């Protein structure tokens, strides 16, 4: 069953690469969740330490380069104003101003807050060549970036919700 969901998620992720992007104007209420940034030397954390800091699903995605099932993540259809941060370390990664609905089942952004906060790595898994997106601070797997996004960048950062926390914009 686990293999079925992995293959389904992979198929939908690849299939949605050609989806057109359009903004979603509605903003349903959603709870705010974030991982508080601390001064822990993240490179010193063991797998056991990461397992204590993260939920099992967040550990599987962030530390083992997994993928959550499409259309199941908390932030796929989340439209509140604020900042999306890395669930592993609290680093600010994306703003709600750059989020759009790609129709692929995962939160999508056309650019990050700062290029130095995101690391891109060639991913040759599953017989494909893609660009993996990782948090530059904790090296957590976030998702992948594709070149089928909207203007002004033409990019689509397809990110796992479970890899993210959210900090609501203060009025």
């Amino acid at each position: 069953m686990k293999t079925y969901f992995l293959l389904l998620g992979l198929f939908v992720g690849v299939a949605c690469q050609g989806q057109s992007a359009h903004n979603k104007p509605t903003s349903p209420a959603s709870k705010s969740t974030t991982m508080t940034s601390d001064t822990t030397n993240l490179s010193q954390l063991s797998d056991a330490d990461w397992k204590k800091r993260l939920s099992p699903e967040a550990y599987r995605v962030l530390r083992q380069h997994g993928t959550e099932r499409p259309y199941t993540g908390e932030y796929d259809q989340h439209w509140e104003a604020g900042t999306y941060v890395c669930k592993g370390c609290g680093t600010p990664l994306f703003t709600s101003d750059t989020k759009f609905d790609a129709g692929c089942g995962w939160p999508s952004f056309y650019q990050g807050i700062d290029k130095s906060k995101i690391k891109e790595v060639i991913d040759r898994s599953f017989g494909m060549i893609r660009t993996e997106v990782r948090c530059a601070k904790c090296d957590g797997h976030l998702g992948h970036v594709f070149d089928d996004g909207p203007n002004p960048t033409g990019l689509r950062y397809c990110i796992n919700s479970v890899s993210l926390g959210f900090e609501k914009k203060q009025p």
Side-chain angles (χ1 to χ4, degrees), residues 28 33 43 47 54-55 59 64 84 96 99 107 123 139 143 152 170:
T33 57
S43 65
D47 276 345
L54 301 169
S55 71
Y59 176 82
Q64 297 181 318
Y84 294 87
S96 57
K99 189 171 189 295
D123 176 1
D139 203 38
Q170 299 302 313

Side-chain angles (χ1 to χ4, degrees), residues 76-97:
D76 176 38
Q77 293 299 311
H78 178 261
W79 304 106
E80 283 187 86
T83 302
Y84 294 87
V85 300
C86 176
K87 181 73 84 161
C89 67
T91 297
L93 300 170
F94 303 96
T95 66
S96 57
D97 295 339

Side-chain angles (χ1 to χ4, degrees), residues 3 18-20 34 36 43 57 73 75 80 94-95 99 115-116 118-119 134 157 166:
T3 304
Q19 295 279 339
S20 65
T34 185
T36 304
S43 65
E57 179 68 355
Y75 300 120
E80 283 187 86
F94 303 96
T95 66
K99 189 171 189 295
K115 288 185 182 208
S116 70
I118 296 172
K119 179 168 51 171
R134 296 184 192 170
Y157 288 88
F166 182 75

Side-chain angles (χ1 to χ4, degrees), residues 86-131:
C86 176
K87 181 73 84 161
C89 67
T91 297
L93 300 170
F94 303 96
T95 66
S96 57
D97 295 339
T98 65
K99 189 171 189 295
F100 67 99
D101 185 0
C104 62
W106 292 277
S108 298
F109 305 86
Y110 62 79
Q111 75 182 25
I113 287 177
D114 182 334
K115 288 185 182 208
S116 70
K117 309 244 186 247
I118 296 172
K119 179 168 51 171
E120 296 183 4
V121 179
I122 299 299
D123 176 1
R124 298 180 191 280
S125 62
F126 302 107
M128 296 179 281
I129 299 175
R130 301 177 290 171
T131 303

